[in-house]
Amino acid sequence: MSSAKPFLSDNAAAVHPKVWEAMRAADSPDNPYDGDALSAELDARFTDLFGRECAGLWVATGTAANCLALGTMCAPHGAVVCHEEAHIEVDEGGAPGFFLHGAKLILVPGEGALLTPEGIAAAIDPIRDDVHQVQPHAISITQASEYGRAYALPELEALGKFAATRGLGLHMDGARFANAAAGLSEDAGEAARAASGPVDSLAFGFIKNGGMGAEAVVLFDPDKAAEVRYRRKRAGHLQCKGRYLAAQVLAMLEDDLWLANAAHANAAAQEVASGCGDRLMHAVEANELFVRLSPKERAALREQGFAFYDWGAGAARFVTAWNTAQEDAIELGRAIASL
């Protein structure tokens, strides 16, 4: 892929130079694990960003971030409600069952991989409130969704109200949280609050957005932090040189780099979308595009040097990143338009 025009995944993008600089700056002795000065800054930085008290803990992967947060909401005998194509169901290798010690996932359909209170109610209302049936304990939503759709604040507020009424925790898988937020506001605080709404916990993704190997578990109930720390250690995710993970997260938060990177990726996605017309399978609200293309058309694009994933028999997925060259995005849009 090194010589191709890369639209495979934002996971394949380079690490932002400021992240490398921050890691080099952290390369001096400090307390191990999360007792260092940089890790100690995370709570305050996330509190400032979201405008409500929260705790922030680094982890190395989004899978760990999701499952450690869900572990504070769901007992082993309970269930997490999620979309039927949610990452925790389709792409995490059974990790929720492992981290949550056998807890079940209740799968719900929804257009664009988005959940609604009505859809969730249809799935959980038939469950009897007795010991013979697994009871829902939490809801997990993805921002932006697995099809690049973004929840607007009113939709999040409706889900939050539903969750509170039913006594359920509300978790957000934010692997592409920055991309969803960048589409809602240019102000970092406003964007972060609008994209998270009333959720109880957030897996804040940085790796897809220019990070190297650090994500964050953001807990809007700071009292849950102690539990997550024990769970993180038990799961093998307490790194002894945690300052290097904290440095990455802080570098992305500094001067709102996280939002600027995502805005660039979103703009590149719109350049591509301008050439897709009615081939688009879903509205482009972040940095992913799902495009109807025949095998012959996909082969033609690959012959022109574009790298991307097939998406079933008749479609392809294109993902832009913080460093996608504008000329590549424009060229891809034109190439699709000319098919």
Side-chain angles (χ1 to χ4, degrees), residues 29-37 39 58 238-243:
D30 203 332
N31 291 329
Y33 305 109
D34 62 355
D36 60 280
S39 295
W58 45 255
L238 178 60
Q239 298 200 25
C240 57
K241 295 183 179 180
R243 63 188 181 276

Side-chain angles (χ1 to χ4, degrees), residues 301-322:
L301 291 174
R302 290 189 169 106
E303 287 174 4
Q304 297 176 59
F306 297 107
F308 54 90
Y309 283 122
D310 291 341
W311 202 261
R317 186 192 76 162
F318 301 87
V319 185
T320 55
W322 72 269

Side-chain angles (χ1 to χ4, degrees), residues 177-220:
F177 177 78
N179 300 97
L184 299 175
S185 176
E186 295 181 0
D187 177 84
E190 290 180 3
R193 290 187 290 274
S196 58
V199 298
D200 299 307
S201 67
L202 165 67
F204 198 140
F206 292 100
I207 296 173
K208 296 180 189 298
N209 195 30
M212 194 279 284
E215 311 275 59
V217 179
V218 181
L219 302 164
F220 296 103

Side-chain angles (χ1 to χ4, degrees), residues 21-162:
E21 291 170 11
M23 292 180 69
R24 285 193 291 270
D27 195 19
S28 59
D30 203 332
N31 291 329
Y33 305 109
D34 62 355
D36 60 280
L38 295 177
S39 295
E41 290 185 36
L42 293 178
D43 289 1
R45 294 295 292 275
F46 282 115
T47 294
D48 287 345
L49 178 63
F50 287 98
R52 55 173 169 153
E53 188 180 4
C54 54
L57 294 83
W58 45 255
V59 291
T61 70
T63 296
N66 284 330
C67 295
L68 289 171
L70 286 169
T72 69
M73 300 178 180
C74 185
H77 59 273
V80 176
V81 180
C82 66
H83 192 273
E84 61 189 1
E85 295 187 68
H87 201 273
I88 59 173
E89 161 65 12
V90 177
D91 290 297
E92 292 190 345
F98 173 77
F99 277 82
L100 275 62
H101 310 291
K104 180 180 178 180
L105 297 180
I106 297 175
L107 307 182
V108 179
E111 191 274 331
L114 299 171
L115 292 182
T116 64
E118 296 76 18
I120 298 170
I124 67 175
D125 282 352
I127 298 173
R128 299 191 312 273
D129 184 15
D130 67 46
V131 73
H132 298 286
Q133 296 201 319
V134 174
Q135 302 299 308
H137 288 186
I139 300 167
S140 180
I141 58 177
T142 309
Q143 179 78 303
S145 82
E146 284 71 20
Y147 283 108
R149 299 289 305 280
Y151 288 95
L153 183 56
E155 295 170 314
L156 295 173
E157 290 174 337
L159 286 164
K161 182 178 179 180
F162 177 86

